Short mmCIF file of all heavy atoms in Angstrom, two decimals:
data_model
loop_
_atom_site.label_atom_id
_atom_site.label_comp_id
_atom_site.label_asym_id
_atom_site.label_seq_id
_atom_site.Cartn_x
_atom_site.Cartn_y
_atom_site.Cartn_z
N MET A 1 46.69 2.89 -10.73
CA MET A 1 46.98 1.38 -10.57
C MET A 1 47.18 0.74 -11.96
O MET A 1 46.57 1.15 -12.95
CB MET A 1 45.68 0.73 -9.95
CG MET A 1 45.26 1.36 -8.61
SD MET A 1 46.24 0.91 -7.23
CE MET A 1 45.94 -0.82 -7.12
N ASP A 2 47.82 -0.22 -11.91
CA ASP A 2 47.98 -1.36 -13.01
C ASP A 2 48.24 -0.77 -14.31
O ASP A 2 47.60 -0.85 -15.30
CB ASP A 2 46.69 -2.09 -13.06
CG ASP A 2 46.21 -2.72 -11.68
OD1 ASP A 2 47.21 -3.15 -10.99
OD2 ASP A 2 45.14 -2.70 -11.41
N LEU A 3 49.43 0.04 -14.48
CA LEU A 3 49.83 0.58 -15.71
C LEU A 3 51.01 -0.20 -16.28
O LEU A 3 51.79 -0.72 -15.58
CB LEU A 3 50.33 2.05 -15.50
CG LEU A 3 49.28 3.02 -14.93
CD1 LEU A 3 50.00 4.35 -14.63
CD2 LEU A 3 48.16 3.11 -15.82
N PRO A 4 51.07 -0.32 -17.57
CA PRO A 4 52.21 -0.86 -18.15
C PRO A 4 53.44 -0.11 -18.04
O PRO A 4 53.36 1.13 -17.87
CB PRO A 4 51.83 -1.06 -19.66
CG PRO A 4 50.96 0.16 -19.98
CD PRO A 4 50.08 0.17 -18.64
N GLU A 5 54.65 -0.67 -18.16
CA GLU A 5 55.80 0.13 -17.95
C GLU A 5 56.03 1.08 -19.15
O GLU A 5 55.39 0.82 -20.29
CB GLU A 5 57.12 -0.77 -17.89
CG GLU A 5 57.23 -1.82 -19.04
CD GLU A 5 58.28 -2.87 -18.77
OE1 GLU A 5 59.40 -2.48 -18.73
OE2 GLU A 5 57.77 -3.99 -18.47
N GLY A 6 56.70 2.20 -18.87
CA GLY A 6 56.89 3.22 -19.93
C GLY A 6 56.95 4.67 -19.37
O GLY A 6 56.81 4.74 -18.17
N ASP A 7 56.94 5.58 -20.23
CA ASP A 7 57.03 6.91 -19.85
C ASP A 7 55.63 7.59 -19.99
O ASP A 7 54.87 7.44 -20.92
CB ASP A 7 58.00 7.73 -20.80
CG ASP A 7 59.48 7.32 -20.65
OD1 ASP A 7 59.93 6.88 -19.53
OD2 ASP A 7 60.08 7.23 -21.66
N TYR A 8 55.33 8.36 -18.90
CA TYR A 8 53.98 8.94 -18.83
C TYR A 8 54.13 10.55 -18.60
O TYR A 8 55.04 10.99 -18.09
CB TYR A 8 53.21 8.46 -17.61
CG TYR A 8 52.81 6.91 -17.95
CD1 TYR A 8 53.64 5.85 -17.66
CD2 TYR A 8 51.46 6.72 -18.34
CE1 TYR A 8 53.36 4.53 -17.81
CE2 TYR A 8 51.12 5.25 -18.53
CZ TYR A 8 52.13 4.34 -18.24
OH TYR A 8 51.74 3.09 -18.47
N THR A 9 53.28 11.20 -19.05
CA THR A 9 53.06 12.70 -18.68
C THR A 9 51.86 12.88 -17.89
O THR A 9 50.74 12.47 -18.55
CB THR A 9 53.12 13.61 -19.88
OG1 THR A 9 54.42 13.35 -20.57
CG2 THR A 9 53.05 14.97 -19.57
N LEU A 10 51.89 13.42 -16.85
CA LEU A 10 50.73 13.84 -15.94
C LEU A 10 50.44 15.33 -16.03
O LEU A 10 51.36 16.05 -16.02
CB LEU A 10 51.00 13.44 -14.51
CG LEU A 10 51.42 11.94 -14.17
CD1 LEU A 10 51.59 11.79 -12.67
CD2 LEU A 10 50.53 10.92 -14.74
N ALA A 11 49.13 15.62 -16.08
CA ALA A 11 48.64 17.03 -16.12
C ALA A 11 47.76 17.26 -14.90
O ALA A 11 46.75 16.50 -14.76
CB ALA A 11 47.90 17.32 -17.40
N ALA A 12 48.04 18.17 -13.94
CA ALA A 12 47.33 18.40 -12.81
C ALA A 12 46.65 19.75 -12.94
O ALA A 12 47.23 20.74 -13.47
CB ALA A 12 48.17 18.37 -11.62
N SER A 13 45.40 19.88 -12.31
CA SER A 13 44.70 21.14 -12.51
C SER A 13 43.69 21.16 -11.36
O SER A 13 43.50 20.22 -10.64
CB SER A 13 44.04 21.35 -13.73
OG SER A 13 43.05 20.32 -14.01
N LEU A 14 42.96 22.20 -11.12
CA LEU A 14 41.94 22.31 -10.16
C LEU A 14 40.80 23.06 -10.89
O LEU A 14 40.63 24.31 -10.69
CB LEU A 14 42.40 23.19 -8.85
CG LEU A 14 41.49 23.07 -7.71
CD1 LEU A 14 41.42 21.72 -7.16
CD2 LEU A 14 42.06 23.97 -6.55
N PRO A 15 39.99 22.27 -11.62
CA PRO A 15 38.97 22.88 -12.48
C PRO A 15 37.82 23.78 -11.72
O PRO A 15 37.42 24.75 -12.27
CB PRO A 15 38.31 21.74 -13.10
CG PRO A 15 39.29 20.55 -13.10
CD PRO A 15 40.03 20.83 -11.84
N GLU A 16 37.64 23.36 -10.55
CA GLU A 16 36.58 24.09 -9.81
C GLU A 16 37.01 25.40 -9.25
O GLU A 16 36.30 26.22 -8.65
CB GLU A 16 36.02 23.16 -8.64
CG GLU A 16 35.08 22.04 -9.15
CD GLU A 16 35.93 20.85 -9.66
OE1 GLU A 16 37.26 20.91 -9.32
OE2 GLU A 16 35.43 20.00 -10.35
N ALA A 17 38.28 25.64 -9.40
CA ALA A 17 38.96 26.86 -8.75
C ALA A 17 38.72 28.12 -9.61
O ALA A 17 39.11 29.28 -9.15
CB ALA A 17 40.40 26.72 -8.55
N LEU A 18 37.99 27.95 -10.72
CA LEU A 18 37.68 29.27 -11.60
C LEU A 18 38.86 29.99 -11.95
O LEU A 18 38.92 31.21 -11.80
CB LEU A 18 36.62 30.12 -10.95
CG LEU A 18 35.22 29.34 -10.52
CD1 LEU A 18 34.37 30.37 -9.76
CD2 LEU A 18 34.50 28.89 -11.81
N GLY A 19 39.90 29.32 -12.38
CA GLY A 19 41.19 30.00 -12.91
C GLY A 19 42.02 30.44 -11.81
O GLY A 19 42.96 31.15 -12.17
N ARG A 20 41.80 30.04 -10.58
CA ARG A 20 42.75 30.43 -9.49
C ARG A 20 44.06 29.74 -9.47
O ARG A 20 44.92 30.05 -8.68
CB ARG A 20 42.03 30.28 -8.11
CG ARG A 20 40.82 31.28 -7.99
CD ARG A 20 39.96 31.01 -6.67
NE ARG A 20 38.82 31.63 -6.63
CZ ARG A 20 38.69 32.91 -6.08
NH1 ARG A 20 39.67 33.50 -5.46
NH2 ARG A 20 37.48 33.51 -6.00
N TYR A 21 44.16 28.67 -10.34
CA TYR A 21 45.38 27.97 -10.50
C TYR A 21 45.47 27.62 -11.93
O TYR A 21 44.52 27.47 -12.69
CB TYR A 21 45.29 26.48 -9.71
CG TYR A 21 45.51 26.70 -8.20
CD1 TYR A 21 44.38 26.83 -7.41
CD2 TYR A 21 46.81 26.65 -7.63
CE1 TYR A 21 44.59 26.83 -5.91
CE2 TYR A 21 46.93 26.81 -6.26
CZ TYR A 21 45.83 26.88 -5.44
OH TYR A 21 46.04 26.94 -4.12
N GLY A 22 46.78 27.59 -12.44
CA GLY A 22 47.05 27.10 -13.76
C GLY A 22 47.20 25.57 -13.78
O GLY A 22 47.01 24.87 -12.74
N THR A 23 47.68 25.05 -14.82
CA THR A 23 47.91 23.67 -14.93
C THR A 23 49.36 23.40 -14.90
O THR A 23 50.22 24.15 -15.35
CB THR A 23 47.29 23.08 -16.32
OG1 THR A 23 45.98 23.30 -16.42
CG2 THR A 23 47.57 21.67 -16.57
N ALA A 24 49.76 22.17 -14.22
CA ALA A 24 51.11 21.82 -14.16
C ALA A 24 51.39 20.54 -14.69
O ALA A 24 50.35 19.57 -14.70
CB ALA A 24 51.66 21.93 -12.75
N ARG A 25 52.42 20.08 -15.37
CA ARG A 25 52.73 18.86 -15.89
C ARG A 25 53.95 18.28 -15.31
O ARG A 25 54.93 18.99 -14.95
CB ARG A 25 52.87 19.00 -17.47
CG ARG A 25 51.52 19.24 -18.11
CD ARG A 25 51.60 19.46 -19.66
NE ARG A 25 50.40 19.52 -20.25
CZ ARG A 25 49.49 20.59 -20.21
NH1 ARG A 25 49.82 21.67 -19.54
NH2 ARG A 25 48.37 20.49 -20.78
N LYS A 26 54.06 16.89 -15.32
CA LYS A 26 55.15 16.12 -14.71
C LYS A 26 55.28 14.97 -15.52
O LYS A 26 54.47 14.17 -15.79
CB LYS A 26 54.89 15.97 -13.26
CG LYS A 26 56.11 15.36 -12.53
CD LYS A 26 57.00 16.39 -12.09
CE LYS A 26 58.04 15.92 -11.15
NZ LYS A 26 58.91 16.97 -10.65
N ASP A 27 56.56 14.62 -15.89
CA ASP A 27 56.92 13.44 -16.56
C ASP A 27 57.47 12.40 -15.41
O ASP A 27 58.03 12.69 -14.54
CB ASP A 27 58.13 13.63 -17.51
CG ASP A 27 57.64 14.55 -18.77
OD1 ASP A 27 56.46 14.39 -19.14
OD2 ASP A 27 58.58 15.15 -19.25
N VAL A 28 56.89 11.20 -15.66
CA VAL A 28 57.09 10.05 -14.66
C VAL A 28 57.41 8.79 -15.39
O VAL A 28 56.60 8.54 -16.50
CB VAL A 28 56.14 10.00 -13.57
CG1 VAL A 28 54.76 9.68 -14.20
CG2 VAL A 28 56.58 9.00 -12.51
N THR A 29 58.24 7.87 -14.97
CA THR A 29 58.55 6.65 -15.56
C THR A 29 58.01 5.47 -14.79
O THR A 29 58.51 5.44 -13.60
CB THR A 29 60.01 6.43 -16.06
OG1 THR A 29 60.32 7.50 -16.92
CG2 THR A 29 60.22 5.09 -16.69
N VAL A 30 57.34 4.51 -15.37
CA VAL A 30 57.05 3.21 -14.61
C VAL A 30 57.95 2.13 -15.20
O VAL A 30 58.02 2.02 -16.47
CB VAL A 30 55.55 2.82 -14.98
CG1 VAL A 30 55.23 1.56 -14.24
CG2 VAL A 30 54.64 3.87 -14.29
N ALA A 31 58.73 1.52 -14.35
CA ALA A 31 59.71 0.50 -14.86
C ALA A 31 59.51 -0.80 -13.99
O ALA A 31 58.63 -0.88 -13.16
CB ALA A 31 61.10 1.11 -14.62
N ARG A 32 60.31 -1.82 -14.45
CA ARG A 32 60.36 -3.10 -13.70
C ARG A 32 61.66 -3.31 -13.17
O ARG A 32 62.68 -2.96 -13.78
CB ARG A 32 59.91 -4.22 -14.55
CG ARG A 32 58.43 -4.20 -14.86
CD ARG A 32 58.05 -5.33 -15.78
NE ARG A 32 56.54 -5.37 -16.17
CZ ARG A 32 55.58 -5.81 -15.38
NH1 ARG A 32 55.94 -6.33 -14.25
NH2 ARG A 32 54.31 -5.65 -15.69
N ASP A 33 61.78 -3.82 -11.93
CA ASP A 33 63.16 -4.06 -11.35
C ASP A 33 63.61 -5.51 -11.88
O ASP A 33 62.97 -6.15 -12.75
CB ASP A 33 63.04 -4.23 -9.90
CG ASP A 33 62.07 -5.27 -9.26
OD1 ASP A 33 61.74 -6.23 -10.02
OD2 ASP A 33 61.56 -5.04 -8.08
N ALA A 34 64.63 -5.97 -11.35
CA ALA A 34 65.34 -7.21 -11.96
C ALA A 34 64.48 -8.40 -11.65
O ALA A 34 64.56 -9.49 -12.45
CB ALA A 34 66.76 -7.39 -11.16
N GLN A 35 63.54 -8.44 -10.72
CA GLN A 35 62.69 -9.55 -10.53
C GLN A 35 61.38 -9.45 -11.25
O GLN A 35 60.59 -10.29 -11.11
CB GLN A 35 62.35 -9.60 -8.97
CG GLN A 35 63.53 -10.18 -8.05
CD GLN A 35 64.55 -9.02 -7.91
OE1 GLN A 35 64.37 -7.87 -7.66
NE2 GLN A 35 65.90 -9.55 -7.95
N GLY A 36 61.38 -8.37 -12.08
CA GLY A 36 60.07 -8.19 -12.92
C GLY A 36 58.91 -7.51 -12.20
O GLY A 36 57.84 -7.40 -12.70
N HIS A 37 59.21 -7.05 -11.03
CA HIS A 37 58.16 -6.13 -10.24
C HIS A 37 58.17 -4.86 -10.73
O HIS A 37 59.12 -4.28 -11.03
CB HIS A 37 58.33 -6.31 -8.74
CG HIS A 37 58.49 -7.79 -8.14
ND1 HIS A 37 59.37 -8.19 -7.32
CD2 HIS A 37 57.67 -8.81 -8.36
CE1 HIS A 37 59.19 -9.49 -7.02
NE2 HIS A 37 58.21 -9.86 -7.73
N ILE A 38 56.88 -4.22 -10.61
CA ILE A 38 56.69 -2.82 -11.01
C ILE A 38 57.53 -1.89 -10.01
O ILE A 38 57.38 -2.05 -8.83
CB ILE A 38 55.28 -2.39 -10.87
CG1 ILE A 38 54.49 -3.04 -12.22
CG2 ILE A 38 55.06 -0.99 -11.01
CD1 ILE A 38 55.00 -2.48 -13.58
N ALA A 39 58.40 -1.08 -10.47
CA ALA A 39 59.07 0.01 -9.61
C ALA A 39 58.18 1.20 -9.82
O ALA A 39 58.15 1.84 -10.93
CB ALA A 39 60.54 0.19 -10.19
N MET A 40 57.41 1.59 -8.87
CA MET A 40 56.44 2.62 -8.77
C MET A 40 57.18 4.00 -9.15
O MET A 40 58.25 4.35 -8.69
CB MET A 40 55.79 2.83 -7.46
CG MET A 40 54.77 3.79 -7.40
SD MET A 40 54.02 3.85 -5.72
CE MET A 40 55.46 4.40 -4.77
N GLY A 41 56.45 4.74 -10.14
CA GLY A 41 56.94 6.05 -10.40
C GLY A 41 56.32 7.04 -9.54
O GLY A 41 55.17 6.83 -9.02
N LYS A 42 57.13 8.06 -8.98
CA LYS A 42 56.71 9.09 -8.17
C LYS A 42 56.72 10.45 -8.68
O LYS A 42 57.61 10.73 -9.45
CB LYS A 42 57.60 8.88 -6.76
CG LYS A 42 57.56 7.66 -6.09
CD LYS A 42 58.50 7.64 -4.88
CE LYS A 42 58.43 6.19 -4.25
NZ LYS A 42 59.46 6.22 -2.95
N ALA A 43 55.71 11.28 -8.23
CA ALA A 43 55.61 12.59 -8.74
C ALA A 43 55.04 13.44 -7.86
O ALA A 43 53.92 13.25 -7.36
CB ALA A 43 54.81 12.59 -10.13
N GLU A 44 55.72 14.67 -7.57
CA GLU A 44 55.23 15.82 -6.81
C GLU A 44 54.92 16.87 -7.85
O GLU A 44 55.85 17.24 -8.54
CB GLU A 44 56.01 16.23 -5.78
CG GLU A 44 55.53 17.36 -4.95
CD GLU A 44 56.27 17.60 -3.62
OE1 GLU A 44 57.16 18.49 -3.68
OE2 GLU A 44 55.97 17.14 -2.46
#
């Protein structure tokens, strides 16, 4: 919630899995539309 616009890097992991998964990263951008509203960044 409530992030300033800009470029972000997300890092996902499952710490309780005891190494059964690695870490994955994803870049996502938060921007504003022509009306100044936040254009939500989406990441799978």
Side-chain angles (χ1 to χ4, degrees):
M1 306 283 291
D2 304 326
L3 300 176
E5 58 192 288
D7 296 325
Y8 293 81
T9 299
L10 308 181
S13 61
L14 193 60
E16 291 77 15
L18 301 176
R20 295 174 188 267
Y21 284 92
T23 299
R25 288 176 171 78
K26 189 81 170 182
D27 294 328
V28 61
T29 298
V30 176
R32 290 184 182 273
D33 61 22
Q35 289 72 43
H37 302 138
I38 286 292
M40 183 178 66
K42 299 180 181 179
E44 182 170 87

